[in-house]
Amino acid sequence: MLQIVFSDSECGTLKMATHWGSSSWDVGVIGVIFGEGEKEPTQEEKNQAIAQFKAQREKENRRARPVGGNPGDVLCPSVGLDIGPISGPDVEKARFDLLTAWLGGDFPLPDCDPDDYAQRDMLWEQRQRDRERLLEGGKHGEAVRIWYSNAPYSLCGFYDVLWQLRDCDCPVTALEMPRWMPLEDNTVQSCLNWGELSPGDWAAYLPLEREIPKNVRRAIAMEWSQLREENSPLRAVVNGRLRSVGEDFYDPFIRAQIPDGIFRVAHLIGDVLGRYQLGIGDWWIAKRIQAMETQGELITVSKGDGFYRNEMRRAQ
């Protein structure tokens, strides 16, 4: 069985989840991270945080179960299809350029070589291989299980896979990430996407697996064909459905979180993502903040080591 996800974190975690069990977790090395400009925690505070982390991990370890299957059958055939073009004669180049931008091309990290494209090339080649493997498996009737959520990138990936398999006579099942998931230890889990799960928790969601009937697959493939034809700058989840939207769709969420006075770009991005749980990454929010600056809505007060560390304020 091929198991499909739509982000690198989901792919890596599900690969581990295939064989993860109650004895898989090892304490290893634990680090304590605190924010720039924050006072370093005392040793007592560090010890307390580490103890809480260990207790949580041990609890997760007790309920851990393997998903089963082969890690090599976990595929991530697409990433970020909610952003940028999804059709047209130059779509492959456009998607490749978008990956370059995501991986530091637009907002390079400090002390990183801007001409080092090893990670980009590796990820691009892996996406291509996974896509080919999906189509080859579908043509030969191999079962496909899709793990998706209501996050725009994931729902777009789900639609795209069913579109890719539109002419394949293979069994397809799917698991949609629920808003609330009761677990066997009387706790409740709430995640935005599958990448937030610990490897041992994936198997608890297997009872949610459902077959996707062929008529439903055809209907979803037709919707994706329409979205491909529209080929808008963004696709967002509006009232539970994927819609083509303009590039400024998320701007009202950003404006609502812009504080009075001077603020750091990274803090604004964190506030937007934390407050609204939009299911999108920081890169697009940063691009829109940059656009607001270009349009004169925001002004840079001081430049830091990279765009995220710039300080800004509203234009008067």
Side-chain angles (χ1 to χ4, degrees), residues 13 25 75 97 114 153 156 262 267 272 275 285 287 301 303:
T13 309
W25 183 67
L75 308 180
D97 291 343
Y153 76 89
C156 284
I262 297 173
H267 293 167
V272 172
R275 172 68 177 82
I285 301 298
K287 290 290 287 183
V301 175
K303 290 193 173 183

Side-chain angles (χ1 to χ4, degrees), residues 69-303:
N70 187 334
D73 291 333
V74 176
L75 308 180
C76 182
S78 65
V79 170
L81 290 179
D82 57 317
I83 297 175
I86 53 175
S87 64
D90 299 322
V91 66
E92 286 297 302
K93 181 181 184 306
R95 301 300 306 177
F96 183 78
D97 291 343
L98 195 55
L99 181 60
T100 304
W102 285 336
L103 296 176
D106 282 354
F107 307 110
L109 297 172
D111 303 322
C112 287
D113 182 358
D115 297 321
D116 184 1
Y117 297 119
Q119 183 186 15
R120 178 204 63 186
D121 294 343
M122 178 190 69
L123 290 175
W124 180 259
E125 291 169 5
Q126 186 62 56
R127 297 290 162 270
Q128 299 298 97
R129 288 195 298 269
D130 285 358
R131 207 169 184 86
E132 291 170 3
R133 175 80 186 285
L134 170 65
L135 289 175
E136 187 67 19
K139 289 176 183 177
H140 288 85
E142 190 168 1
V144 175
R145 173 192 285 161
I146 308 171
W147 303 76
Y148 75 99
S149 69
N150 207 40
Y153 76 89
S154 186
L155 202 55
C156 284
F158 174 58
Y159 276 41
D160 181 63
V161 165
L162 295 182
W163 183 83
Q164 293 288 336
L165 298 175
R166 63 193 181 280
D167 296 325
C168 298
D169 189 22
C170 60
V172 179
T173 58
L175 296 93
E176 181 181 5
M177 169 67 73
R179 180 68 180 87
W180 304 101
M181 182 64 181
L183 300 177
E184 62 184 30
D185 57 2
N186 293 321
T187 61
V188 174
Q189 202 161 49
S190 177
C191 299
L192 282 177
N193 58 66
W194 295 102
E196 296 180 7
L197 286 183
S198 297
D201 281 343
W202 285 66
Y205 291 76
L206 286 174
L208 303 180
E209 185 174 18
R210 297 290 183 269
E211 179 185 359
I212 308 179
K214 290 184 179 179
N215 56 349
V216 174
R217 288 160 58 176
R218 285 194 298 269
I220 293 175
M222 288 176 63
E223 283 196 29
W224 188 243
S225 293
Q226 180 62 40
L227 291 167
R228 283 170 53 86
E229 185 176 332
E230 293 165 355
N231 206 27
S232 65
L234 285 179
R235 282 146 297 280
V237 179
V238 182
N239 295 327
R241 296 190 64 178
L242 274 180
R243 301 292 187 189
S244 295
V245 297
E247 62 183 3
D248 61 350
F249 178 79
Y250 296 109
D251 287 11
F253 299 99
I254 299 173
R255 292 191 181 100
Q257 292 302 119
I258 297 175
D260 295 330
I262 297 173
F263 61 89
R264 180 166 287 187
V265 171
H267 293 167
L268 175 57
I269 294 172
D271 289 343
V272 172
L273 296 179
R275 172 68 177 82
Y276 297 108
Q277 304 288 292
L278 299 170
I280 61 174
D282 59 285
W283 179 84
W284 186 255
I285 301 298
K287 290 290 287 183
R288 295 310 303 162
I289 293 173
Q290 197 175 55
M292 290 178 181
E293 179 188 26
T294 301
Q295 295 161 6
E297 187 173 344
L298 296 174
I299 296 174
T300 296
V301 175
S302 64
K303 290 193 173 183

